[in-house]
Amino acid sequence: DQQVKQNSPSLSVQEGRISILNCDYTNSMFDYFLWYKKYPAEGPTFLISISSIKDKNEDGRFTVFLNKSAKHLSLHIVPSQPGDSAVYFCAASGGGDMRFGAGTRLTVKP
Amino acid sequence: DTAVSQTPKYLVTQMGNDKSIKCEQNLGHDTMYWYKQDSKKFLKIMFSYNNKELIINETVPNRFSPKSPDKAHLNLHINSLELGDSAVYFCASSQSYQDNYGYTFGSGTRLTVV
């Protein structure tokens, strides 16, 4: 059973605009959430995280929002740059468990 | 009917021991991976196999040896365990090596070396 879902396999945005990547989870035990970025032929790299005691965490152009009641988190990238083109994985951890979504491929067009 | 299953989920062992972590996928994927998540939450690729053939072998100590008896299994054997090997190890699979999405990860094996 998929406890972490990224329902959009791909997303395409124009350079300079906002990219919004979404992630849903089902397990209420998850209390820490992470986003990873992955370039082709490389392993995923940690991007940003958020604890369940917060609803927003910002790091430069990247902001993660957490809606615990909806069991939903999103990653906002503003402004989007061509170098942001990659696959983004959402992950959720808690209760000694960590689960990953299947990823969303973001393409930022110049 | 877990898609990617790793065993054991937790492993506590003493320095110097040899241990194995097993991974199996029932998705019919061609490619399997081992990742190590360090204390800073970074996921680092260790090995990748495509149809039982090694295609990625990052700079890891040769104490780590992957074994793929068939494309549904990728096991990780670690000799002479050291304290620094303590981490969470994730197995993953994908349809093919060219897939940049559609990864399915196992739930991880937390290795603690004491």
Side-chain angles (χ1 to χ4, degrees), chain A residues 27-58:
Chain A
N27 191 338
S28 300
M29 291 294 291
F30 291 141
D31 58 6
Y32 194 72
F33 306 89
L34 310 92
W35 284 96
Y36 289 86
K37 177 179 179 179
K38 183 184 178 303
Y39 291 117
E42 296 181 10
T45 56
F46 171 69
L47 187 59
I48 192 170
S49 63
I50 188 167
S51 164
S52 61
I53 62 173
K54 295 184 175 182
D55 54 19
K56 177 182 174 181
N57 188 26
E58 192 172 317

Side-chain angles (χ1 to χ4, degrees), chain A residues 1 3 17 31 64 67 107:
Chain A
D1 63 322
Q3 297 188 33
R17 306 295 288 268
D31 58 6
V64 57
N67 182 334
T107 304

Side-chain angles (χ1 to χ4, degrees), chain B residues 10 16 27 40 44 47 51 66-67 74 84 89 93 95 107:
Chain B
Y10 299 98
L27 298 165
K40 296 181 180 178
K44 298 179 182 179
F47 302 101
N51 273 321
K67 292 284 192 301
L74 180 62
Y89 292 83
S93 71
Q95 188 73 36
S107 57

Side-chain angles (χ1 to χ4, degrees), chain B residues 40-57:
Chain B
K40 296 181 180 178
K41 305 294 186 187
F42 288 103
L43 272 180
K44 298 179 182 179
I45 183 74
M46 299 176 68
F47 302 101
S48 176
Y49 270 72
N50 188 58
N51 273 321
K52 301 193 299 176
E53 290 189 16
L54 181 65
I55 53 174
I56 292 178
N57 184 0

